[in-house]
mmCIF file of all heavy atoms in Angstrom:
data_model
loop_
_atom_site.group_PDB
_atom_site.id
_atom_site.type_symbol
_atom_site.label_atom_id
_atom_site.label_comp_id
_atom_site.label_asym_id
_atom_site.label_seq_id
_atom_site.Cartn_x
_atom_site.Cartn_y
_atom_site.Cartn_z
ATOM 1 N N GLU A 255 72.647 113.814 102.704
ATOM 2 C CA GLU A 255 72.943 112.916 101.592
ATOM 3 C C GLU A 255 73.656 111.651 102.047
ATOM 4 O O GLU A 255 73.440 110.572 101.493
ATOM 5 C CB GLU A 255 73.802 113.646 100.547
ATOM 6 C CG GLU A 255 73.099 114.833 99.907
ATOM 7 C CD GLU A 255 73.982 115.545 98.887
ATOM 8 O OE1 GLU A 255 74.714 114.851 98.162
ATOM 9 O OE2 GLU A 255 73.951 116.788 98.841
ATOM 10 N N ILE A 256 74.492 111.766 103.071
ATOM 11 C CA ILE A 256 75.278 110.608 103.498
ATOM 12 C C ILE A 256 74.462 109.696 104.420
ATOM 13 O O ILE A 256 74.694 108.492 104.480
ATOM 14 C CB ILE A 256 76.576 111.067 104.177
ATOM 15 C CG1 ILE A 256 77.624 109.964 104.154
ATOM 16 C CG2 ILE A 256 76.339 111.533 105.602
ATOM 17 C CD1 ILE A 256 78.980 110.418 104.628
ATOM 18 N N GLY A 257 73.518 110.274 105.150
ATOM 19 C CA GLY A 257 72.649 109.487 106.013
ATOM 20 C C GLY A 257 73.302 109.085 107.321
ATOM 21 O O GLY A 257 74.496 109.292 107.538
ATOM 22 N N PRO A 258 72.521 108.482 108.217
ATOM 23 C CA PRO A 258 73.043 108.073 109.516
ATOM 24 C C PRO A 258 73.881 106.811 109.406
ATOM 25 O O PRO A 258 73.753 106.051 108.446
ATOM 26 C CB PRO A 258 71.773 107.815 110.334
ATOM 27 C CG PRO A 258 70.770 107.382 109.308
ATOM 28 C CD PRO A 258 71.086 108.187 108.074
ATOM 29 N N PRO A 259 74.761 106.539 110.383
ATOM 30 C CA PRO A 259 75.524 105.289 110.376
ATOM 31 C C PRO A 259 74.588 104.098 110.485
ATOM 32 O O PRO A 259 73.599 104.137 111.202
ATOM 33 C CB PRO A 259 76.413 105.399 111.624
ATOM 34 C CG PRO A 259 76.385 106.828 112.015
ATOM 35 C CD PRO A 259 75.085 107.371 111.557
ATOM 36 N N GLY A 260 74.891 103.047 109.751
ATOM 37 C CA GLY A 260 74.063 101.849 109.819
ATOM 38 C C GLY A 260 74.208 101.019 108.570
ATOM 39 O O GLY A 260 74.595 101.509 107.510
ATOM 40 N N ASP A 261 73.873 99.758 108.690
ATOM 41 C CA ASP A 261 74.007 98.821 107.584
ATOM 42 C C ASP A 261 72.781 98.881 106.693
ATOM 43 O O ASP A 261 71.650 98.871 107.166
ATOM 44 C CB ASP A 261 74.177 97.404 108.139
ATOM 45 C CG ASP A 261 74.552 96.406 107.057
ATOM 46 O OD1 ASP A 261 75.173 96.825 106.065
ATOM 47 O OD2 ASP A 261 74.230 95.222 107.212
ATOM 48 N N GLU A 262 72.997 98.955 105.383
ATOM 49 C CA GLU A 262 71.913 98.928 104.416
ATOM 50 C C GLU A 262 72.075 97.705 103.525
ATOM 51 O O GLU A 262 73.178 97.292 103.209
ATOM 52 C CB GLU A 262 71.926 100.191 103.548
ATOM 53 C CG GLU A 262 71.709 101.482 104.330
ATOM 54 C CD GLU A 262 71.745 102.702 103.424
ATOM 55 O OE1 GLU A 262 71.843 102.522 102.188
ATOM 56 O OE2 GLU A 262 71.670 103.817 103.943
ATOM 57 N N LYS A 263 70.976 97.142 103.108
ATOM 58 C CA LYS A 263 71.033 95.966 102.230
ATOM 59 C C LYS A 263 71.294 96.369 100.781
ATOM 60 O O LYS A 263 71.768 95.576 99.985
ATOM 61 C CB LYS A 263 69.735 95.172 102.332
ATOM 62 C CG LYS A 263 69.511 94.587 103.727
ATOM 63 C CD LYS A 263 70.703 93.743 104.159
ATOM 64 C CE LYS A 263 70.497 93.183 105.555
ATOM 65 N NZ LYS A 263 71.697 92.457 106.038
ATOM 66 N N ALA A 264 70.967 97.571 100.404
ATOM 67 C CA ALA A 264 71.257 98.048 99.064
ATOM 68 C C ALA A 264 72.303 99.147 99.160
ATOM 69 O O ALA A 264 72.138 100.054 99.959
ATOM 70 C CB ALA A 264 70.007 98.598 98.394
ATOM 71 N N PRO A 265 73.381 99.116 98.374
ATOM 72 C CA PRO A 265 73.690 98.163 97.320
ATOM 73 C C PRO A 265 74.152 96.803 97.801
ATOM 74 O O PRO A 265 74.150 95.853 97.045
ATOM 75 C CB PRO A 265 74.795 98.863 96.530
ATOM 76 C CG PRO A 265 75.505 99.651 97.583
ATOM 77 C CD PRO A 265 74.437 100.104 98.540
ATOM 78 N N GLY A 266 74.632 96.714 99.041
ATOM 79 C CA GLY A 266 74.943 95.436 99.654
ATOM 80 C C GLY A 266 75.819 94.529 98.833
ATOM 81 O O GLY A 266 76.729 94.957 98.146
ATOM 82 N N GLY A 267 75.548 93.209 98.926
ATOM 83 C CA GLY A 267 76.349 92.218 98.214
ATOM 84 C C GLY A 267 76.055 92.253 96.732
ATOM 85 O O GLY A 267 76.657 92.992 95.969
ATOM 86 N N GLY A 268 75.078 91.463 96.302
ATOM 87 C CA GLY A 268 74.647 91.470 94.912
ATOM 88 C C GLY A 268 75.787 91.426 93.926
ATOM 89 O O GLY A 268 76.730 90.645 94.069
ATOM 90 N N PRO A 269 75.744 92.292 92.894
ATOM 91 C CA PRO A 269 76.797 92.292 91.875
ATOM 92 C C PRO A 269 78.164 92.670 92.423
ATOM 93 O O PRO A 269 79.183 92.219 91.907
ATOM 94 C CB PRO A 269 76.301 93.331 90.858
ATOM 95 C CG PRO A 269 75.344 94.188 91.619
ATOM 96 C CD PRO A 269 74.696 93.280 92.613
#
Side-chain angles (χ1 to χ4, degrees):
E255 297 179 38
I256 201 172
D261 190 28
E262 298 179 5
K263 296 305 179 185

